[in-house]
Amino acid sequence: MSVRGVSKSFRLPHEQYSTLKQRVLHPRRTHRFSELRALDDVSLEIGQGEFFGIVGRNGSGKSTLLKCLAGIYSTDSGRIEVRGRLSPFIELGVGFHPELSARDNVVINAIMLGLTRKQALERFDEIIAFAELEEFVDLKLKNYSSGMSVRLGFAVAIQVDADVLLVDEVLAVGDASFQQKCFDQFDRLKAEGRTIIFVTHAMDSVRRFCDRAMLLERGDVVDIGDPDAIASKYAEVNFGTVAGGGPSGAPDVPRARVRDVWCAADGAGRPEGGATAAVDVAQGERAAAAMEVEFVDPVDDPVFTITFRNDVRHTIYVARSDRISASGKFAAGDRVTVRFDFPNWLAQSVYTLTPGVLSSDGRIVLDMREDAATIRVTGGLATGGVAELPTEMEIERP
């Protein structure tokens, strides 16, 4: 796929008439417009079989670019060349008819997405099984929950035999088990050599799937390159700072360093092997996450944070010191050990720990160690939830 000098603008009216009465009362009022530049001279080349990420803040032009690639929007200038058959997964379930059953909607949508009627019927059982909707095949879609509709839409979309797939935030919906299925399907599509263009706010997904990524800001291309570097620049654009506390583009001189990190179970200390040792923690017992921090410069009331992510890179648990108490003043050269203790009600899975040190207002990252330690949660029942919170139940009969 080739995108060369693509620009797109929208006209935004200053005054909008919503009724005929308003037009009659103000027949001579001049219509004034302002121009919103959604994309400004965007160029990129995406190779065959590449998994390419597009990231940026809300309003940066990500979805506009995807809709231009899909042909939904025409461009004001520039050229887009697509080699192969293209399929947009931009809004799952668009075209579903609420008065029709899932059975009818699957066949109609599969045909709309490019399958023949015979292919749609042959793949029907697989689509319904993936969506886990076998019991609701003949139910009208107006009676589906939003999650059920999303599952059905994605199940249909992945059956399309396309060379280039456009995907907009589909991994942000659905429950944890369905999101895992989405990840598995992306692994499959990537292994098959499909070209995938993926718009997302989730930097974890960018790091996991993408071969390269692009950062957009107000319609301009900030950078194109390695997913880790783009994810870091995304954080920089969001907060206006880089690790080390300087403004964008300043030398990265850290004011604090995370020297060591580990997880522990049931009041235990630092395990042998430190961060390289995966620690088993039983569900229901207490667990701990600890970091050793050295301060390069004096810092007042830094914020210490821990973040646990599961094996599909979803953020499950975050703790911050400023939610508990002020951390105090630290001089250059000070070394401290910060330990967070908590009851472990996480579901059975493997979790990675990312510790961080922020400025007192939480806006500047002084240091952060991505996925520095690992815990395995054992025991308990696998219910499909991301946490198994202790719960009391009461049944009252009239």
Side-chain angles (χ1 to χ4, degrees):
M1 175 177 286
S2 176
V3 178
R4 301 174 186 171
V6 167
S7 296
K8 176 67 178 177
S9 298
F10 297 95
R11 296 178 70 193
L12 303 179
H14 291 179
E15 297 174 351
Q16 290 183 322
Y17 295 122
S18 57
T19 66
L20 179 61
K21 179 180 178 181
Q22 289 175 320
R23 293 184 180 274
V24 172
L25 291 175
H26 307 286
R28 298 180 181 277
R29 181 169 292 177
T30 303
H31 293 282
R32 293 179 299 168
F33 297 86
S34 60
E35 185 177 274
L36 172 64
R37 192 77 161 176
L39 297 172
D40 189 5
D41 194 26
V42 174
S43 297
L44 64 135
E45 297 284 336
I46 301 173
Q48 182 177 352
E50 186 173 12
F51 204 121
F52 189 87
I54 301 175
V55 304
R57 297 189 293 179
N58 290 335
S60 62
K62 306 183 303 299
S63 294
T64 299
L65 176 57
L66 212 63
K67 289 177 180 179
C68 288
L69 297 179
I72 297 171
Y73 290 161
S74 60
T75 61
D76 297 336
S77 61
R79 184 180 179 87
I80 297 174
E81 296 179 359
V82 179
R83 291 175 290 275
R85 182 178 172 186
L86 182 145
S87 177
F89 298 177
I90 294 176
E91 294 182 41
L92 297 178
V94 170
F96 279 166
H97 195 295
E99 293 295 334
L100 296 179
S101 68
R103 186 186 303 278
D104 295 332
N105 271 294
V106 164
V107 174
I108 292 171
N109 267 260
I111 293 172
M112 289 173 59
L113 289 172
L115 298 183
T116 65
R117 179 176 177 81
K118 180 180 179 181
Q119 289 173 324
L121 293 173
E122 288 174 347
R123 302 180 191 186
F124 176 80
D125 289 340
E126 185 178 349
I127 290 170
I128 294 299
F130 182 91
E132 301 173 358
L133 295 173
E134 292 92 338
E135 299 178 18
F136 308 100
V137 168
D138 296 313
L139 188 67
K140 290 184 178 181
L141 249 69
K142 68 179 182 181
N143 297 316
Y144 272 29
S145 68
S146 58
M148 293 165 70
S149 297
V150 164
R151 295 206 306 268
L152 187 64
F154 187 82
V156 174
I158 60 175
Q159 292 295 330
V160 179
D161 300 320
D163 303 299
V164 180
L165 295 86
L166 308 180
V167 184
D168 192 358
E169 291 286 8
V170 298
L171 298 183
V173 293
D175 55 29
S177 61
F178 179 73
Q179 287 179 352
Q180 176 62 63
K181 281 190 172 184
C182 292
F183 278 106
D184 293 341
Q185 288 302 314
F186 276 101
D187 285 330
R188 176 182 67 82
L189 293 170
K190 188 173 181 179
E192 291 176 357
R194 309 284 185 94
T195 302
I196 303 174
I197 302 170
F198 179 41
V199 166
T200 184
H201 287 285
M203 295 305 102
D204 297 336
S205 298
V206 171
R207 290 187 177 98
R208 171 172 177 176
F209 291 111
C210 296
D211 301 305
R212 289 189 303 144
M214 175 177 70
L215 174 61
L216 285 175
E217 174 66 9
R218 297 184 179 180
D220 292 318
V221 178
V222 177
D223 196 11
I224 299 175
D226 177 76
D228 286 330
I230 296 300
S232 297
K233 288 199 174 184
Y234 175 78
E236 179 181 329
V237 167
N238 269 283
F239 295 107
T241 56
V242 295
S248 296
D252 186 5
V253 180
R255 299 172 60 196
R257 292 189 179 94
V258 177
R259 293 292 191 182
D260 199 3
V261 56
W262 64 91
C263 296
D266 200 18
R270 183 181 186 278
E272 293 185 10
T276 62
V279 175
D280 290 330
V281 181
Q283 190 181 94
E285 73 174 340
R286 293 195 67 80
M291 69 182 94
E292 183 181 310
V293 179
E294 178 185 11
F295 289 90
V296 179
D297 295 324
V299 179
D300 292 347
D301 289 324
V303 178
F304 302 102
T305 71
I306 57 168
T307 300
F308 281 98
R309 297 186 179 94
N310 64 8
D311 55 348
V312 293
R313 306 296 300 155
H314 295 151
T315 298
I316 303 300
Y317 171 55
V318 178
R320 294 168 55 116
S321 62
D322 59 344
R323 301 294 188 265
I324 303 169
S325 65
S327 57
K329 296 184 177 182
F330 299 89
D334 282 354
R335 282 202 180 201
V336 296
T337 298
V338 182
R339 180 181 174 111
F340 291 85
D341 286 276
F342 56 94
N344 173 40
W345 293 110
L346 299 175
Q348 293 182 42
S349 189
V350 177
Y351 301 86
T352 57
L353 166 65
T354 295
V357 186
L358 313 178
S359 61
S360 59
D361 60 5
R363 290 183 56 83
I364 299 174
V365 179
L366 305 185
D367 196 18
M368 186 170 289
R369 295 272 300 277
E370 289 279 349
D371 302 330
T374 304
I375 65 169
R376 287 188 297 261
V377 176
T378 61
L381 297 174
T383 63
V386 297
E388 310 295 342
L389 302 180
T391 305
E392 296 180 0
M393 185 188 73
E394 181 178 328
I395 299 176
E396 183 177 341
R397 295 181 182 273

